[in-house]
Amino acid sequence: MPRCAKYIFQAMVSVAFLVSCEEELKKKDRRNNKNFPTETILNANIIRNDSGYVNLRFRAPILEKYSLVDSPYVEAKKGIYLEYFDKKKPEIPGRIWAKYARMNELAQFYTATGDVKIITNDGQTFETQRIFWDQKNHKMFTRDTVFVTDKDGSTLVGANGLTARDDFSEFTFFNNSGTFSSKEIPSAGK
């Protein structure tokens, strides 16, 4: 066998051995994979009551629960629609739409993405591409652009997002602009 053919053959054997070991590691990793849904709910329609009063209605085409991973979560890959009822105005629900949602129940942290639209029970509309809800601290926030429309048609744009209480009673916008009714702007010196 020519000398260069001998080295090429040895190199091919070494490469085959490396590929074979890599394939075995991948097979082993697949057997230990725990990131798959343990529960699936199709056409989920969930109603939560508190003391006989409905405080939440939730719908999603598909919900998948991942409970075998270190930090269990629920995922709504095909979107959500949620109505939440406030004790101050129990007859008028606030509403939330999103194309995707992920809920980490242990951390009480929720994410909604994709054409997120929130209409409060006061009639304000918030639109953004992504929003996070820290339920423990009663705080919602995003760094994406937020468009807010009031009942009277006034608009506000928070170019660098917002931070808000989860009932939207207080909120702060970052790098904002918009159009407002002159009645809404406080007079200087008052």
Side-chain angles (χ1 to χ4, degrees):
M1 180 181 295
R3 190 176 198 186
C4 67
K6 180 178 174 185
Y7 291 119
I8 292 172
F9 177 73
Q10 287 177 342
M12 287 174 36
V13 170
S14 298
V15 169
F17 178 73
L18 289 173
V19 170
S20 176
C21 290
E22 188 175 303
E23 287 174 5
E24 287 298 316
L25 288 173
K26 286 181 182 177
K27 285 179 187 176
K28 187 176 180 181
D29 286 345
R30 274 189 235 132
R31 285 183 287 216
N32 292 332
N33 183 9
K34 296 179 183 175
N35 194 18
F36 58 88
T38 53
E39 294 177 44
T40 302
I41 301 172
L42 299 175
N43 297 317
N45 189 7
I46 299 168
I47 299 172
R48 188 175 71 190
N49 295 314
D50 183 15
S51 303
Y53 295 100
V54 173
N55 63 6
L56 183 114
R57 287 189 186 123
F58 177 86
R59 285 186 273 170
I62 185 167
L63 280 180
E64 295 177 326
K65 185 172 187 175
Y66 295 79
S67 58
L68 299 177
V69 294
D70 291 337
S71 184
Y73 62 95
V74 175
E75 208 170 38
K77 294 178 181 176
K78 299 222 179 208
I80 62 163
Y81 171 72
L82 178 113
E83 291 180 348
Y84 60 94
F85 296 86
D86 190 354
K87 291 179 183 176
K88 298 174 201 168
K89 290 186 177 181
E91 66 283 350
I92 303 172
R95 297 176 300 218
I96 301 174
W97 294 264
K99 289 185 176 180
Y100 171 86
R102 183 175 172 142
M103 299 146 267
N104 184 324
E105 293 175 345
L106 293 176
Q108 295 181 351
F109 194 83
Y110 303 82
T111 305
T113 61
D115 296 333
V116 178
K117 184 176 184 179
I118 301 169
I119 300 177
T120 67
N121 58 3
D122 290 331
Q124 288 180 310
T125 302
F126 294 78
E127 295 179 86
T128 187
Q129 284 302 306
R130 177 178 47 203
I131 196 158
F132 303 98
W133 177 32
D134 179 352
Q135 187 179 13
K136 279 189 226 176
N137 296 313
H138 304 283
K139 180 178 165 184
M140 295 184 87
F141 60 94
T142 184
R143 293 294 171 241
D144 292 351
T145 301
V146 179
F147 300 91
V148 181
T149 307
D150 212 350
K151 292 181 285 191
D152 66 0
S154 300
T155 60
L156 176 76
V157 178
N160 294 336
L162 76 87
T163 300
R165 288 191 45 82
D166 60 2
D167 62 358
F168 285 95
S169 60
E170 298 174 12
F171 39 84
T172 303
F173 293 96
F174 303 103
N175 193 15
N176 54 347
S177 64
T179 60
F180 302 90
S181 167
S182 60
K183 296 176 207 168
E184 299 290 325
I185 301 172
S187 300
K190 285 189 179 180

